[in-house]
Amino acid sequence: MKKLATSVFVLLLTAAATLSASAQTIRRVSTTATGTNIYATFALAQTAATAGDIIQMEPGNHADITVTKNLTVVGPGYFLGTGFNTGLQANSQAATVSYIYMGTGSAGASVAGITASNVYLGADNITLQRCYVTGTLYLNYGTGVANVNN
């Protein structure tokens, strides 16, 4: 019975260690809010982030985004205050940047719900979804890329 209890205890410790090692942190980018895990720019949020973290871009005009880690970047979406969405959003402004650049180190990253003039994809296994690109989407920017999902 003692061996069974010890085995169960070791199994629970291993499971707890695995869960804590894979925990994600949500970091917000806001030009108005302050607090824990809230940053004024994407660059500051990314510096504090580790691979696998989520960076939430709040509505507003932001500095350009250069992703250098395997992160999930999420914005509020686009066309939030027009057409069928009128009155459904507390803030109908999009998270807008001039460009999103995904280069070395960003393999496996994903970006969703951001409005950008130009997007440069220069890493493998990138996911770009529900983004509004008003200009040009550059594939194989600087190097050959594979597995771009949209």
Side-chain angles (χ1 to χ4, degrees), residues 17-129:
T18 302
L19 288 175
S20 66
S22 64
Q24 295 175 320
T25 300
I26 298 174
R27 300 175 190 284
R28 290 173 47 197
V29 177
S30 174
T31 57
T32 57
T34 59
T36 305
N37 290 331
I38 301 176
Y39 303 88
T41 66
F42 176 84
L44 292 172
Q46 180 173 233
T47 298
T50 59
D53 281 357
I54 299 167
I55 297 181
Q56 175 189 352
M57 303 288 292
E58 293 195 356
N61 294 318
H62 296 277
D64 299 328
I65 295 174
T66 300
V67 182
T68 59
K69 297 178 182 177
N70 178 1
L71 300 170
T72 300
V73 181
V74 181
Y78 55 92
F79 298 147
L80 301 175
T82 61
F84 299 108
N85 294 326
T86 303
L88 296 178
Q89 302 291 325
N91 185 339
S92 61
Q93 187 179 10
T96 304
V97 299
S98 290
Y99 74 81
I100 299 170
Y101 174 72
M102 302 184 78
T104 304
S106 66
S110 67
V111 177
I114 304 289
T115 298
S117 296
N118 298 297
V119 177
Y120 303 87
L121 302 178
D124 293 339
N125 302 316
I126 297 295
T127 300
L128 185 69
Q129 57 189 5

Side-chain angles (χ1 to χ4, degrees), residues 5-21:
T6 302
S7 297
V8 170
F9 180 70
V10 169
L11 180 64
L12 288 174
L13 281 178
T14 304
T18 302
L19 288 175
S20 66

